[in-house]
Amino acid sequence: MQQDNKPIIEVKNVSKFFGEKTALDNINLSIRKGEFVTILGPSGCGKTTLLNIIAGLEFPSSGTVELDGVPVSGPGRDRTVMFQESALFPWLDVLGNVMFGLKLVPGLTRGARMAIAEKNLELVGLQDCMHAHIHELSGGMKQRVALARALATNPRILLMDEPFGALDAMTREQLYQDIQDIHLRWGMTIIFVTHNMREAVCLGDRVILFTPHPGRICEEYSVDLPHPRDINSQELALLSSRITRDLKGAAK
């Protein structure tokens, strides 16, 4: 996918402290419009904290995050977060869950919200489950609903916090294809946090490698393999093995 060379997000000298604990230490990162960036590192290295700061859900202890040159001061409709858990409302059906976030978009009638929700459910292959209750869905289907809900507001930036970690291998592989297809079709900027090496290489245009606690950027890899990628391909396995060796080296 062709990308704009001008950064849409700039993380400048960001550090984050929780009491005496340093979660992030002097992070500098530029992300271009339309880029798919994966942030890879072990548990507890501050990946989710950085994602929350970009989302405007947390604030850095020092440094700034800028969106189109303007400091991020809180959440906005231009950024949507997809969490590790689907965080769906059990009292609403599938369609109601996807429509819920659209209430924050001004000027939309109920009919318009319904049409947008239906379109996004069709995009993730759930057009036949619109009126199902959440407890009737598998884990993979719940994450598809969460993805449809995240896409429904048409965000410029999709922030994904290990959303496939709890799913079985076959379901994850299908969702890898789905998110790559959506990225190719829509061209939105995606930042995806993971501790899974193959997942990071399968999805990302760039892989940003974090050190263990405290989180620092220790390496960056460009992934030149064409999309859509197969997580089981030999080329992907070779690059994943290289990153794994670096990650083990960073932990020493």
Side-chain angles (χ1 to χ4, degrees):
M1 171 174 298
Q2 189 173 4
Q3 296 154 1
D4 189 335
N5 287 326
K6 184 178 180 181
I8 186 173
I9 297 171
E10 291 192 88
V11 180
K12 299 180 177 180
N13 304 312
V14 164
S15 295
K16 179 67 175 181
F17 310 111
F18 295 101
E20 297 182 356
K21 177 182 176 182
T22 302
L24 295 170
D25 184 16
N26 196 37
I27 302 297
N28 288 276
L29 178 63
S30 293
I31 297 172
R32 298 185 299 275
K33 180 181 178 181
E35 194 174 16
F36 198 137
V37 172
T38 50
I39 298 176
L40 172 67
S43 297
C45 72
K47 306 183 300 295
T48 294
T49 299
L50 178 60
L51 204 73
N52 288 339
I53 290 173
I54 294 172
L57 301 175
E58 295 185 34
F59 297 97
S61 302
S62 61
T64 60
V65 173
E66 295 180 359
L67 175 60
D68 291 328
V70 178
V72 170
S73 59
R77 290 203 309 271
D78 48 12
R79 287 153 287 143
T80 298
V81 183
M82 187 174 173
F83 298 100
Q84 295 178 28
E85 301 294 333
S86 59
L88 301 174
F89 301 120
W91 60 89
L92 297 175
D93 64 9
V94 167
L95 184 63
N97 268 277
V98 179
M99 289 176 62
F100 187 85
L102 292 168
K103 292 181 179 179
L104 301 176
V105 180
L108 287 181
T109 64
R110 176 176 172 78
R113 294 198 305 271
M114 185 176 296
I116 293 170
E118 290 175 351
K119 176 183 176 181
N120 282 277
L121 285 168
E122 184 175 354
L123 184 67
V124 300
L126 290 179
Q127 61 270 25
D128 296 329
C129 303
M130 293 186 186
H131 301 295
H133 295 289
I134 299 305
H135 71 269
E136 298 174 316
L137 305 181
S138 66
M141 293 171 74
K142 289 177 182 177
Q143 287 300 76
R144 286 176 186 273
V145 176
L147 178 57
R149 183 176 62 183
L151 295 172
T153 56
N154 194 28
R156 297 177 64 206
I157 301 163
L158 179 59
L159 305 167
M160 307 183 76
D161 185 11
E162 300 191 49
F164 307 146
L167 304 178
D168 63 88
M170 290 185 65
T171 301
R172 285 200 308 270
E173 287 185 24
Q174 182 57 56
L175 284 166
Y176 296 153
Q177 294 301 312
D178 291 345
I179 196 63
Q180 288 182 84
D181 289 344
I182 289 167
H183 180 241
L184 287 169
R185 185 185 307 182
W186 288 20
M188 69 174 59
T189 306
I190 300 178
I191 306 173
F192 190 106
V193 161
T194 181
H195 61 265
N196 183 307
M197 272 69 74
R198 284 219 183 178
E199 184 173 79
V201 175
C202 179
L203 298 176
D205 300 315
R206 275 193 299 155
V207 178
I208 309 299
L209 182 60
F210 267 42
T211 62
H213 173 75
R216 302 185 182 98
I217 295 176
C218 64
E219 192 57 85
E220 178 181 315
Y221 301 87
S222 293
V223 184
D224 295 326
L225 303 175
H227 285 285
R229 298 173 188 153
D230 180 357
I231 198 169
N232 298 308
S233 73
Q234 183 177 3
E235 295 87 353
L236 197 146
L238 289 172
L239 184 51
S240 298
S241 296
R242 176 187 165 194
I243 295 176
T244 300
R245 289 194 298 271
D246 288 354
L247 186 57
K248 289 179 178 178
K252 292 180 180 179

